[in-house]
Amino acid sequence: DTAVSQTPKYLVTQMGNDKSIKCEQNLGHDTMYWYKQDSKKFLKIMFSYNNKELIINETVPNRFSPKSPDKAHLNLHINSLELGDSAVYFCASSRGENRGAYEQYFGPGTRLTVT
Amino acid sequence: QKEVEQDPGPLSVPEGAIVSLNCTYSNSAFQYFMWYRQYSRKGPELLMYTYSSGNKEDGRFTAQVDKSSKYISLFIRDSQPSDSATYLCACHNFNKFYFGSGTKLNVKP
């Protein structure tokens, strides 16, 4: 059984397009995250949701909009894609916002290439 | 200066060697320290976490935190080719997460 799943796995699109990435976790966790990993493997948190509420919103362009329809899902919508958005995007989940947050489970990643 | 610094490597060792992976961090408020393993084209996988200073052992892996020097380490004993991956350290306090850039490890058979 996949704990944290993401779709699609690969996404190739042109500049200016709008795209979405979906994430689902079946672990019963309360908190979900989106991370961006650049070509140098540097992993940076973008957003965090706890029970469908946004709790972390790092300095991310407002072209990126997360949406959590329920606590098992956290989707990421990106408007007006730019070349610099090319990266691997990881979804993750954890039991809680604070005490359980350190035990995160990551999805397989979505490799986004903007041409 | 990044909050968490990690030598990117690559680090190449023969099978059976003891591997030492290290990170330094700048924020003394960090309370939890994690190590993740990431295989090529996969998501990071949590190996171990430690709260505050001290050691924690799990099989061939030992995590060590020295808060006085803001230094965290991961030791791998009897390294295996299957340990070849990128190892990411991470620090956490309340809602803040900071990852190192990862050290690529290659264990040669």
Side-chain angles (χ1 to χ4, degrees):
Chain A
D1 276 348
T2 304
V4 182
S5 59
Q6 292 177 232
T7 52
K9 201 167 180 183
Y10 298 95
L11 189 51
V12 181
T13 188
Q14 290 184 327
M15 281 175 56
N17 285 349
D18 303 338
K19 289 292 176 188
S20 291
I21 307 172
K22 293 186 175 182
C23 177
E24 177 182 0
Q25 54 95 3
N26 63 7
L27 298 165
H29 286 168
D30 288 331
T31 307
M32 296 185 73
Y33 314 82
W34 276 111
Y35 285 87
K36 180 180 180 181
Q37 188 171 47
D38 61 24
S39 56
K40 293 188 174 163
K41 293 286 193 182
F42 187 57
L43 198 63
K44 188 161 187 210
I45 191 164
M46 300 172 69
F47 302 102
S48 171
Y49 270 73
N50 180 256
N51 278 320
K52 300 194 300 174
E53 274 193 45
L54 181 66
I55 54 170
I56 292 177
N57 184 353
E58 293 294 298
T59 310
V60 176
N62 57 15
R63 298 182 295 105
F64 290 79
S65 52
K67 280 193 171 50
S68 182
D70 55 61
K71 72 176 194 177
H73 295 85
L74 180 62
N75 304 324
L76 183 66
H77 187 76
I78 316 170
N79 287 330
S80 304
L81 278 154
E82 299 177 358
L83 291 176
D85 297 333
S86 295
V88 182
Y89 292 84
F90 286 102
C91 177
S93 72
S94 68
R95 275 186 295 126
E97 181 181 337
N98 290 319
R99 289 177 62 84
Y102 44 81
E103 204 166 342
Q104 292 185 52
Y105 294 84
F106 283 79
T110 296
R111 189 170 293 268
L112 171 65
T113 303
V114 182
T115 60
Chain B
Q1 183 195 5
K2 290 196 175 109
E3 296 269 359
V4 181
E5 299 274 4
Q6 186 175 6
D7 187 334
L11 180 62
S12 190
V13 301
E15 183 176 352
I18 295 174
V19 176
S20 171
L21 302 166
N22 308 293
C23 291
T24 57
Y25 63 93
S26 57
N27 189 342
S28 57
F30 288 138
Q31 299 273 8
Y32 287 93
F33 306 90
M34 293 78 76
W35 283 97
Y36 289 82
R37 176 176 61 197
Q38 186 175 19
Y39 291 114
S40 182
R41 298 193 172 251
K42 299 285 186 187
E45 170 197 6
L46 179 67
L47 275 177
M48 300 177 72
Y49 68 86
T50 312
Y51 174 71
S52 193
S53 281
N55 292 0
K56 188 171 185 179
E57 192 173 316
D58 184 0
R60 296 183 295 109
F61 298 87
T62 300
Q64 200 171 74
V65 176
D66 182 348
K67 289 194 79 177
S68 62
S69 58
K70 299 192 184 74
Y71 199 80
I72 54 178
S73 303
L74 179 71
F75 299 97
I76 307 174
R77 289 184 300 281
D78 187 25
S79 55
Q80 304 293 309
S82 59
D83 295 329
S84 298
T86 297
Y87 289 81
L88 300 154
C89 63
C91 302
H92 171 255
N93 184 43
F94 293 102
N95 290 333
K96 296 295 185 184
F97 302 81
Y98 297 92
F99 281 79
S101 55
T103 299
K104 189 166 185 177
L105 172 66
N106 180 31
V107 181
K108 297 173 291 185

